[in-house]
Amino acid sequence: MGKYTLDTDFSSLNDTQTSEWILEFHNIVKDAFANRDNRSRLLGNLLIMERYTNTLCQGLAANDKKLSLGLQKAMDLLWGYLENRIVPFDFQDFANDLYTCFLAFNIGTKEDEPEEFSNKYFNGIAPKAYENVALEWSSGLLLELISITGAHLEHEDFEQISEIDFYGINKMLHLLEEACIELTKTSLRSNSTQDFMQAMKQVHLTSLFQQIIYHIQKDLKTAWTATPNQFLSLRKEYEQYTIIPKEYATALLEY
């Protein structure tokens, strides 16, 4: 176990220590959940994903838009599994097609898309970067569940998975970390690596970014202690929470 944990008071760290904490974040979470089952792990992902997508919904609503049907259904399926309403065999086809769409949107071509699926769930349009993070995150979790339970899996990257991971939270955190340069109006003198890392250190000391870390720590600790009879009430509770204050939601989508 390293010197940083989920209980570390991020706001008390200096700029060098905050950078170390961020670099260690994925390992910190893995260590914290080392003896927890996959439902606890999935809940930790979903509580934070709810905050993040609620923020996206606020920003999209300002322009009379909504999350893609694909992302909405993926989250519903993940909650359905957590609440014992469905099993991976019920969503194996959707999950495989969803991840195929994600790959086509990001590293493939239009010809790689499952056209009917793409048109139905994304109107044939690749999601923007902010939603793409949640798409990769949610589709990855669905495929991890499929791999763990032995349902039909079409993507070899998810073979031999034994436990739910926290990769999606880590990826979201880094997107928000970069976005906070703009959201907090932190000075970035140039695009050099040195100036970028210095800007990141300044971002870590802002109240906005520290609030993001606080939410993530709180949600993961909530998931760590939650029992199955709390899952439904937690889903309802988290419908009101966001990852950043509403006044930043539109600006995040412009990042």
Side-chain angles (χ1 to χ4, degrees):
M1 178 75 72
K3 62 180 179 180
Y4 303 118
T5 71
L6 282 182
D7 290 318
T8 298
D9 180 1
F10 189 82
S11 65
S12 71
L13 303 178
N14 63 37
D15 56 3
T16 299
Q17 291 170 327
T18 58
S19 296
E20 291 173 350
W21 192 95
I22 296 294
L23 286 174
E24 285 295 315
F25 172 74
H26 195 233
N27 289 331
I28 289 170
V29 183
K30 285 176 64 177
D31 288 342
F33 280 78
N35 297 315
R36 309 307 291 174
D37 64 21
N38 279 319
R39 292 188 185 274
S40 293
R41 292 166 175 270
L42 180 57
L43 180 62
N45 278 276
L46 283 174
L47 295 182
I48 297 167
M49 192 185 296
E50 281 290 323
R51 282 191 188 272
Y52 180 69
T53 55
N54 288 343
T55 292
L56 300 187
C57 286
Q58 289 179 340
L60 288 166
N63 295 305
D64 296 319
K65 295 181 179 180
K66 296 181 179 180
L67 291 178
S68 67
L69 291 177
L71 178 54
Q72 292 180 51
K73 181 169 181 177
M75 293 183 64
D76 285 341
L77 290 172
L78 289 167
W79 279 110
Y81 172 83
L82 191 66
E83 296 163 8
N84 283 316
R85 292 186 283 106
I86 55 174
V87 296
F89 291 94
D90 296 326
F91 55 74
Q92 58 188 6
D93 292 339
F94 173 86
N96 282 304
D97 284 345
L98 186 68
Y99 195 72
T100 299
C101 261
F102 164 74
L103 294 177
F105 290 150
N106 291 275
I107 60 175
T109 66
K110 188 71 176 177
E111 287 71 29
D112 296 324
E113 291 179 32
E115 184 176 2
E116 184 177 349
F117 184 93
S118 177
N119 289 336
K120 179 178 180 180
Y121 290 107
F122 299 97
N123 293 319
I125 302 172
K128 302 293 185 183
Y130 51 79
E131 185 171 344
N132 197 53
V133 168
L135 174 59
E136 180 181 8
W137 187 359
S138 58
S139 61
L141 289 172
L142 289 170
L143 290 183
E144 287 177 3
L145 291 173
I146 285 172
S147 181
I148 290 167
T149 57
H152 176 62
L153 178 67
E154 297 176 1
H155 297 279
E156 61 182 16
D157 289 348
F158 291 86
E159 292 177 354
Q160 300 181 337
I161 295 291
S162 62
E163 60 185 20
I164 295 295
D165 195 12
F166 300 95
Y167 172 78
I169 303 174
N170 196 49
K171 189 147 191 175
M172 177 212 69
L173 178 58
H174 285 295
L175 179 141
L176 293 175
E177 183 184 25
E178 292 188 26
C180 278
I181 294 178
E182 296 291 335
L183 298 181
T184 62
K185 302 187 186 316
T186 296
S187 175
L188 179 59
R189 293 187 296 180
S190 75
N191 291 325
S192 71
T193 300
Q194 182 177 352
D195 285 344
F196 180 78
M197 297 307 296
Q198 186 58 40
M200 286 292 93
K201 287 184 175 182
Q202 296 306 307
V203 161
H204 297 164
L205 301 179
T206 65
S207 60
L208 177 62
F209 188 76
Q210 290 178 358
Q211 185 178 46
I212 292 171
I213 297 297
Y214 173 79
H215 289 323
I216 291 172
Q217 290 177 305
K218 176 180 179 295
D219 297 346
L220 288 170
K221 287 189 283 187
T222 295
W224 200 95
T225 60
T227 56
N229 62 358
Q230 295 176 289
F231 292 168
L232 181 58
S233 62
L234 281 169
R235 182 182 186 181
K236 292 184 179 298
E237 177 185 347
Y238 272 70
E239 289 176 353
Q240 64 184 304
Y241 296 153
T242 58
I243 196 70
I244 55 177
K246 184 176 181 178
E247 60 265 27
Y248 295 101
T250 303
L252 175 63
L253 270 58
E254 295 172 352
Y255 166 71

